[in-house]
Amino acid sequence: MRFTVTAHGLFLRKEPRQEAGNERAVLPEGCTVEVHAREGKWCRVTGTLDGVSFEGWVSGKYLAKSEDVIFATASQLAPVHWRANNPGSTRAGPASASPIGESGMPRNAPVSRAGLDKVIDWLDVENSRRYRPGGGRTYCNIYAYDVAYASSVFLPRVWWTDKAIAALEAGQQVAAQYDVTIREMNANAIHNWLLDYGVRFGWKRTLSLTELQECANRGGIATICARRKDLARSGHIVIVAPETAQKKARRDANGRVTMPVQSQAGSVNFERSVPASAWWADARFSSFVLFIHD
């Protein structure tokens, strides 16, 4: 019987046991295998990977009948989400590559200031486990994605690989498979994506902090995204939040915004804040961009 790998990456082992040195390869999500025997939780499988035949043992926990596995597909360069409508992806759960599938998530559609305020309040970045920093990890990219997703704006949490993009631009149908045809996007990658693909998906670059704040005040998605000099470390991305009676953007004597109201996940999470200085101009960053999406 044919089965499909459902894990991000599944160890193919020489023998049906979990121990160092027993690994033969890593099978990617979506890889199809034939099961020939079972021994407890282990399955002896065969298949092909990039044209190379393999045989070995895998954990049956991460196999599903092929007819039960459905991947989103596309035949043109289009927005892509990994495992959308997953009810297990929640504010109370750990960070993941899936959009929130929790029932009751508000939608800022059609776009409005009240709608964006409701999304930001509901995501509760200061308290939700999904964005809680720890172990040297922060989740600015996930929070920015969640705000945009709830507003029906595409900001990539995952994006097509170069090989998949070539196939899509040739009109071929491509399934969204984790680490095969799609990859996760950190803030550095989102910075580059906004420059390379943002206009295709409704984003507009601006050089004006005032325009950023005005967009947010209308309920649109406005963002500041900075790329690190050391690409081994993540950059940073924030969402510009609508002003409230308690939180106003800082302006100069002519009324121009010099610091917008910002909402972020990071080493410190905050729902709305007006930072003291322009963090994006810090020497750690090689570049920054301002984009809006109405």
Side-chain angles (χ1 to χ4, degrees):
M1 182 178 291
R2 296 176 70 83
F3 289 82
T4 297
V5 173
T6 60
H8 285 1
L10 179 61
F11 278 120
L12 178 71
R13 303 179 187 276
K14 301 171 189 175
E15 302 293 338
R17 59 181 182 272
Q18 185 174 343
E19 62 182 31
N22 190 35
E23 302 86 357
R24 175 166 285 171
V26 177
L27 304 182
E29 181 191 35
C31 182
T32 301
V33 300
E34 292 277 353
V35 174
H36 298 277
R38 296 180 183 270
E39 188 172 310
K41 73 171 186 177
W42 301 100
C43 297
R44 185 171 67 82
V45 300
T46 60
T48 59
L49 183 61
D50 293 330
V52 178
S53 298
F54 61 79
E55 180 272 333
W57 294 84
V58 300
S59 171
K61 178 181 178 180
Y62 302 105
L63 297 181
K65 292 180 180 179
S66 292
E67 59 266 30
D68 294 335
V69 179
I70 300 174
F71 294 106
T73 61
S75 56
Q76 60 182 344
L77 198 58
V80 60
H81 304 282
W82 187 71
R83 295 186 180 173
N85 305 313
N86 175 8
S89 181
T90 70
R91 294 168 296 171
S96 74
S98 295
I100 289 179
E102 185 178 349
S103 63
M105 183 174 73
R107 290 286 185 177
N108 180 26
V111 166
S112 71
R113 177 178 181 146
L116 181 55
D117 279 334
K118 189 173 182 180
V119 166
I120 290 172
D121 292 343
W122 187 85
L123 290 175
D124 194 15
V125 67
E126 295 181 12
N127 298 298
S128 295
R129 181 188 175 196
R130 181 173 174 87
Y131 314 114
R132 189 178 302 157
R137 298 179 67 85
T138 57
Y139 303 103
C140 63
N141 56 329
I142 296 179
Y143 179 63
Y145 167 73
D146 287 347
V147 175
Y149 182 80
S151 299
S152 300
V153 169
F154 181 64
L155 185 71
R157 176 70 184 90
V158 296
W159 184 239
W160 303 105
T161 62
D162 290 345
K163 185 176 179 180
I165 289 171
L168 289 166
E169 291 183 334
Q172 299 174 26
Q173 191 170 73
V174 178
Q177 295 173 229
Y178 188 94
D179 266 355
V180 179
T181 59
I182 58 172
R183 59 187 175 86
E184 291 195 45
M185 300 283 279
N186 64 14
N188 293 326
I190 293 172
H191 169 284
N192 294 344
W193 181 92
L194 284 165
L195 291 172
D196 293 341
Y197 296 102
V199 172
R200 294 198 198 189
F201 297 95
W203 290 93
K204 174 189 171 185
R205 190 173 186 178
T206 179
L207 303 180
S208 167
L209 294 174
T210 301
E211 193 170 5
L212 281 184
Q213 189 64 69
E214 289 176 347
C215 175
N217 286 349
R218 295 190 297 270
I221 302 300
T223 185
I224 305 170
C225 187
R227 182 182 64 206
R228 286 289 283 260
K229 289 179 179 177
D230 179 3
L231 294 179
R233 305 187 70 177
S234 184
H236 191 50
I237 183 169
V238 302
I239 292 294
V240 177
E243 293 177 281
T244 67
Q246 294 75 33
K247 289 292 181 182
K248 296 287 188 181
R250 194 156 58 247
R251 289 175 166 81
D252 64 17
N254 296 312
R256 292 186 294 261
V257 173
T258 59
M259 185 60 61
V261 182
Q262 295 160 55
S263 186
Q264 73 160 40
S267 55
V268 176
N269 294 356
F270 50 78
E271 188 171 286
R272 289 176 176 82
S273 181
V274 182
S277 60
W279 59 265
W280 54 88
D282 189 276
R284 295 171 297 168
F285 301 112
S286 63
S287 176
F288 69 87
V289 292
L290 317 178
F291 274 84
I292 61 176
H293 195 303
D294 277 311

